[in-house]
Amino acid sequence: MKDTFKHKGLRQQLVNVIKAKGIKDTNVLNAIGNIPRHLFMDSSFLDHAYQDKAFPIAADQTISQPYTVAFQTELLKVKSGDKILEIGTGSGYQCAVLCEVGAKVYSIERQQELFKKTSKFLSKLGYRPKKLIFGDGYKGLPDEAPFDGIIVTAGAPFVPKPLLSQLKIGGRLVIPVGDDVQIMNLFIRKGSKEFEQHELGEFRFVPLLEDKN
Ligand code: SAH
């Protein structure tokens, strides 16, 4: 597990690319600049780690495009100590970004293989999310609710009700909604039953899968 000056240089270029695409939050930009993304990917993709692209990881899943990770994180407006729930741990890259911006992170992954691999990997790298959970993200995490923010990193066919109900008042849910193409949605909880909704452009994610049992 090596991080070299070459990787750091490439990372700085990636930060500049993301900045040019409109990301302004300096905490988010610093996180992208600090995290060795190449270590989150299969070694066959190492040369591509600092391109602004999604890439395959284990179990037919992907590590999201850095711009998308930055865009979603910026929308969460994380303050240090905020309790954030992530749905879709995957490679752990988004989780690491959330840790870097000071969140207390809870993250759910439904594939056991990824859950195990990523749990080990994040701790090896020194990231300490509050809790990584093997389970179904459609249900959220009622035992730990309410959250300051919830981020869904797979394409959801609809907005799962539990995720809205597990937000604090003032809390934010960032969720890509749609089948082939997703619209990034931001929900801000204004009251127990009131939500402000914003639609923020098209993205493409792997699907948020429903458990059949
Ligand atoms: N945040 C990840 C992105 C991974 S892709 C990263 O930074 O690498 C989306 C992930 O969501 C996949 O790992 C997939 O297995 C997971 N996923 C799909 N449906 C899910 C569900 N119902 N609950 C929890 N995780 C789910």
Side-chain angles (χ1 to χ4, degrees):
M1 300 236 294
K2 263 210 300 201
D3 192 25
T4 64
F5 280 112
K6 182 183 157 205
H7 293 121
K8 288 187 180 117
L10 290 172
R11 230 157 32 232
Q12 208 41 56
Q13 289 175 20
L14 173 63
V15 168
N16 292 336
V17 167
I18 287 173
K19 240 183 180 170
K21 290 184 179 174
I23 302 297
K24 294 193 177 67
D25 187 324
T26 47
N27 290 334
V28 174
L29 293 168
N30 288 338
I32 303 277
N34 285 338
I35 300 172
R37 186 176 190 248
H38 60 286
L39 301 179
F40 290 73
M41 298 169 53
D42 289 348
S43 49
S44 45
F45 293 106
L46 282 188
D47 290 346
H48 305 286
Y50 294 106
Q51 294 176 7
D52 188 24
K53 287 187 182 153
F55 280 100
I57 53 172
D60 282 338
Q61 299 303 320
T62 56
I63 177 169
S64 303
Q65 183 181 341
Y67 171 74
T68 305
V69 172
F71 187 78
Q72 287 193 278
T73 311
E74 189 169 67
L75 287 175
L76 281 174
K77 289 196 192 290
V78 179
K79 296 182 298 304
S80 184
D82 274 1
K83 218 170 155 180
I84 305 290
L85 174 65
E86 177 192 23
I87 312 297
T89 315
S91 70
Y93 182 73
Q94 172 73 69
C95 177
V97 170
L98 291 167
C99 290
E100 287 263 350
V101 299
K104 287 187 191 137
V105 188
Y106 298 77
S107 183
I108 308 179
E109 171 58 52
R110 73 182 283 284
Q111 297 207 47
Q112 195 162 29
E113 176 194 347
L114 276 175
F115 164 74
K116 282 190 183 154
K117 189 173 163 203
T118 300
S119 302
K120 250 197 221 148
F121 172 71
L122 282 172
S123 82
K124 212 160 147 191
L125 223 57
Y127 288 104
R128 303 267 177 274
K130 271 273 172 194
K131 222 182 221 179
L132 298 176
I133 301 105
F134 169 53
D136 178 15
Y138 276 90
K139 302 188 178 78
L141 199 58
D143 291 351
E144 301 288 351
F147 295 95
D148 296 290
I150 301 179
I151 172 174
V152 180
T153 68
F158 58 89
V159 181
K161 288 239 167 65
L163 301 186
L164 289 169
S165 68
Q166 290 173 25
L167 285 177
K168 288 183 191 173
I169 306 293
R172 302 161 82 88
L173 167 64
V174 178
I175 179 170
V177 185
D179 294 323
D180 297 338
V181 178
Q182 292 85 34
I183 306 292
M184 191 65 74
N185 273 258
L186 166 66
F187 291 88
I188 305 172
R189 189 167 201 175
K190 293 292 180 182
S192 69
K193 291 199 174 119
E194 296 150 81
F195 295 87
E196 192 179 288
Q197 182 182 2
H198 303 265
E199 293 189 346
L200 299 152
E202 287 186 0
F203 290 81
R204 272 172 207 274
F205 287 81
V206 294
L208 186 69
L209 296 170
E210 286 184 80
D211 284 337
K212 298 276 180 310
N213 48 5

